[in-house]
Amino acid sequence: QVQLVESGGGLVQAGGSLRLSCAASGIISSINTMGWYRQAPGKQRELVADITSYGSTNYADSVKGRFTISSTNAKNTVYLQMNSLKPEDTAVYYCKAVYCDRRGCDNAWGQGTQVTVSS
């Protein structure tokens, strides 16, 4: 199993920056993808960015060029650097890990961290 703990959310003015961190524990070697999702009030949870164990990244169109996802060499921490933040980036941000063993694959989610961007 994998457990995730996020940190780094907060309140920032439009145009500012924040960095989110997600620390994974448990069977790290079973993780093949980690990512960040967000959910704004009244909206569905959506993918922001993810990164595979090989380092391939994927971004939502709305954050391309502004956000960067990265991970440590040990693959136990994933970061989301958020620059040029906009009020529409306001949401609860969740870390997700996809981990697999011989029984199949499953998802682990963090508890979420609030990001608020003021105009």
Side-chain angles (χ1 to χ4, degrees):
Q1 293 229 345
V2 172
Q3 297 80 41
L4 304 173
V5 177
E6 301 120 333
S7 61
L11 172 64
V12 65
Q13 288 189 331
S17 299
L18 282 174
R19 189 174 85 151
L20 305 183
S21 300
C22 174
S25 61
I27 307 175
I28 306 300
S29 59
S30 66
I31 296 174
N32 64 19
T33 303
M34 291 187 74
W36 289 95
Y37 288 69
R38 66 186 181 187
Q39 187 167 19
K43 294 188 177 181
Q44 290 190 329
R45 192 173 297 189
E46 62 177 2
L47 172 69
V48 176
D50 60 23
I51 183 168
T52 70
S53 57
Y54 296 102
S56 297
T57 58
N58 177 46
Y59 295 91
D61 288 343
S62 59
V63 306
K64 283 181 181 176
R66 299 188 298 122
F67 291 10
T68 303
I69 190 170
S70 61
S71 65
T72 59
N73 287 336
K75 310 292 191 298
N76 62 340
T77 303
V78 65
Y79 304 97
L80 185 68
Q81 178 65 44
M82 305 185 293
N83 298 329
S84 302
L85 282 161
K86 305 175 180 179
E88 51 263 44
D89 295 318
T90 295
V92 178
Y93 283 69
Y94 297 91
C95 180
K96 173 187 170 183
V98 180
Y99 60 99
C100 304
D101 58 23
R102 60 184 177 180
R103 295 170 295 180
C105 295
D106 205 346
N107 299 325
W109 290 92
Q111 79 283 2
T113 185
Q114 177 70 47
V115 172
T116 303
V117 184
S118 63
S119 57

